[in-house]
Amino acid sequence: MKNYKGIKIEIKPTAEQIEKINRTIGTGRFLYNFYIAYNKEIYEKEKKFVTGFEFSKYINNVFIKENPNKSWIKDVSSKSNKQAIMNSEKAFKRFFNKISNFPKFKKKSHNNQKCYFFKNNKTDFEFYRHKIKIPTLKFVRLKEYGYIPKNASIKSATISKEGDRYFLSLILEMKKEIKNSISKKLETKEGIGIDLGIKDFAICSDGQVFKNINKTFKVRKIEKKLKREQRKKSRKYLSCKKMEKIFMNVKIFKNKN
């Protein structure tokens, strides 16, 4: 059974790696904004929508050839560029489905700046306790050690820039075996009847009983603590409202005098 997990850790890239990351982010932002502007223009003229795939072909086969000064688009990861275009396409589809407003242009000063790196071959995303290999960047040092499980397989990576700091978000695939009595019984050819209840979570026809975790001492203890914290918060709120009322009365009294 495959189990997917996402983690986010801070990295310490070199000056050369920072320059590559910033260039990749900038190129992705340019393509994202260009796709929005290009689609808007095409729709106003021809009343049709250009897909991300069609736009990617236009960029590589037409736009760069007609504009040699834009050849820097190809200097960064092609898959990162494609992902930026596909993100713009998703924004358009959300707009067409009336889920969100018309896509907005990304600003250079925007906090949410990201670039994507995908697994091209088996040697990509090789990692150790203190460093990780990323396509086009080679090995990047991790600021926090031991966060990546040894038995994990990295499927993709996203580097985000927050101020002067850089963070790495990973999608991990981990193999997980199901080890419980139900899975063992399901391997047999015999049928099992399961009755879901309130007092007990499940009662099987073979006599097995699975307890309801909400009835355990640990959960009841947590629920009691939650109620206490909620009461404390409620008292603080009422106290603040009372003090606010007193200050307002004092202010009105001073204004009258």
Side-chain angles (χ1 to χ4, degrees), residues 5 8 13 44 62 65 79 83 86 125 164 184 192-193 203 216 222 226 228 233-234 236 246:
K5 181 182 179 182
K8 184 177 180 180
E44 288 174 353
V62 180
K65 288 181 180 179
K79 291 198 174 183
Q83 183 62 37
M86 297 314 295
F125 297 126
D164 295 328
K184 289 178 182 177
I192 299 174
I203 302 171
T216 60
I222 293 170
L226 176 62
R228 284 198 298 270
K233 187 175 181 181
S234 178
K236 284 182 180 179
I246 291 170

Side-chain angles (χ1 to χ4, degrees), residues 51-227:
T51 65
F53 179 73
E54 291 171 334
F55 181 74
S56 182
K57 284 173 64 178
Y58 165 74
I59 289 291
N60 293 321
N61 301 328
V62 180
F63 180 74
I64 294 177
K65 288 181 180 179
E66 293 178 352
N67 301 272
N69 61 324
K70 294 290 192 296
S71 60
W72 45 264
I73 292 173
K74 288 191 174 183
D75 292 342
V76 301
S77 170
S78 60
K79 291 198 174 183
S80 295
N81 288 344
K82 284 180 182 177
Q83 183 62 37
I85 293 169
M86 297 314 295
N87 285 345
S88 189
E89 184 186 60
K90 286 179 185 177
F92 264 110
K93 286 181 177 179
R94 288 176 63 85
F95 167 70
F96 291 139
N97 293 327
K98 298 181 179 179
I99 298 172
S100 60
N101 296 325
F102 188 83
K104 293 181 180 179
F105 293 107
K106 287 189 175 182
K107 297 180 181 179
K108 192 175 182 179
S109 58
H110 200 275
N111 292 329
N112 189 17
Q113 300 186 60
K114 297 178 181 179
C115 56
Y116 301 83
F117 297 91
F118 294 88
K119 194 169 186 176
N120 299 314
N121 51 65
K122 291 182 180 180
T123 59
D124 289 341
F125 297 126
E126 181 183 349
F127 63 92
Y128 300 93
R129 183 174 177 270
H130 62 292
K131 61 182 180 179
I132 180 171
K133 186 180 180 184
I134 299 174
T136 73
L137 295 177
K138 298 182 179 178
F139 278 102
V140 181
R141 292 189 67 84
L142 304 175
K143 195 168 183 180
E144 301 169 271
Y145 300 161
Y147 270 69
I148 307 175
K150 291 181 179 179
N151 64 334
S153 173
I154 300 172
K155 307 305 292 181
S156 66
T158 303
I159 294 180
S160 57
K161 182 182 178 184
E162 299 177 16
D164 295 328
R165 300 167 70 187
Y166 294 86
F167 294 87
L168 178 66
S169 299
L170 300 172
I171 300 297
L172 307 177
E173 181 186 296
M174 293 177 290
K175 291 183 179 179
K176 186 179 179 182
E177 295 181 1
I178 303 175
K179 294 182 179 180
N180 55 45
S181 55
I182 293 178
S183 63
K184 289 178 182 177
K185 288 290 182 182
L186 291 176
E187 291 174 1
T188 65
K189 294 181 180 179
E190 297 178 5
I192 299 174
I194 301 174
D195 180 29
L196 299 178
I198 297 173
K199 183 180 178 182
D200 297 312
F201 176 69
I203 302 171
C204 299
S205 59
D206 61 356
Q208 291 188 88
V209 178
F210 295 87
K211 298 294 182 181
N212 188 346
I213 61 169
N214 293 321
K215 301 291 182 180
T216 60
F217 172 76
K218 187 175 181 180
V219 173
R220 288 202 302 269
K221 188 177 178 181
I222 293 170
E223 287 176 344
K224 284 183 179 179
K225 186 177 179 182
L226 176 62
K227 287 179 181 179

